[in-house]
Amino acid sequence: MAESRRYPLKTDPQGMVGRECPNPSCMTYFKVEASQVDCDELICPVCGRTDDCKKYTTVPQIDYINSLIFHKDSCPITHTGYSKTPPCRDYVELPAKCVYSCDSCNKKFGIDCKKPENCPYCNATREHLHEENKCDLNCSE
């Protein structure tokens, strides 16, 4: 049996990793604590969809991981006209505009647009969620 290799995802300055709801009618982008990336299940804080954590991986994260696999962990920084090998795909995790804490599970998560309805870890409802920072969720939806 082949050994499974884990490629760590990048974190933002708050130590969080981006996730995207796999529900095609939702697709909400939110952040979870880096320690929670390898969980069994995750819950979309907006639509409430519960699914395997891996299904919440974003397209830029998948491109980054595939690039690392393709380059066998040794990525060229730039692409030259003489090389047939493409450079690594990279991505940056920007900090979330709003960070919430859940008083049911004591974990934090971030979101940029839309008020959360529940906790992505324990599914606690809105009344258990508290803004960690003053945030303005003005979105064009």
Side-chain angles (χ1 to χ4, degrees):
M1 183 176 194
E3 179 183 333
S4 176
R5 169 101 194 229
R6 174 153 161 40
Y7 291 92
L9 297 173
K10 296 184 178 195
T11 60
D12 69 10
Q14 299 160 318
M16 293 192 182
V17 174
R19 305 277 79 185
E20 187 174 64
C21 179
N23 179 350
S25 64
C26 180
M27 303 293 287
T28 295
Y29 180 81
F30 61 100
K31 302 271 190 144
V32 296
E33 296 173 349
S35 63
Q36 300 302 308
V37 172
D38 290 328
C39 61
D40 291 330
E41 284 186 340
L42 201 57
I43 303 152
C44 176
V46 173
C47 76
R49 178 179 177 145
T50 301
D51 219 324
D52 183 286
C53 280
K54 291 180 177 126
K55 294 201 176 177
Y56 285 85
T57 306
T58 68
V59 171
Q61 292 167 343
I62 292 168
D63 290 344
Y64 172 72
I65 292 167
N66 286 337
S67 182
L68 289 175
I69 292 167
F70 177 81
H71 290 284
K72 297 181 173 78
D73 300 336
S74 177
C75 289
I77 301 301
T78 59
H79 177 70
T80 66
Y82 302 107
S83 173
K84 293 183 185 204
T85 305
C88 271
R89 299 289 299 259
D90 203 1
Y91 76 102
V92 174
E93 286 287 357
L94 298 174
K97 290 179 186 170
C98 300
V99 175
Y100 288 84
S101 61
C102 175
D103 61 18
S104 290
C105 66
N106 296 316
K107 294 179 183 160
K108 295 181 182 182
F109 67 96
I111 196 163
D112 287 348
C113 191
K114 300 178 189 171
K115 286 258 186 207
E117 296 294 323
N118 48 42
C119 174
Y121 310 110
C122 71
N123 207 21
T125 55
R126 184 185 296 182
E127 53 271 359
H128 295 280
L129 307 178
H130 309 284
E131 286 183 18
E132 290 280 309
N133 58 329
K134 175 109 173 89
C135 60
D136 183 21
L137 292 176
N138 287 332
C139 311
S140 56
E141 300 183 68

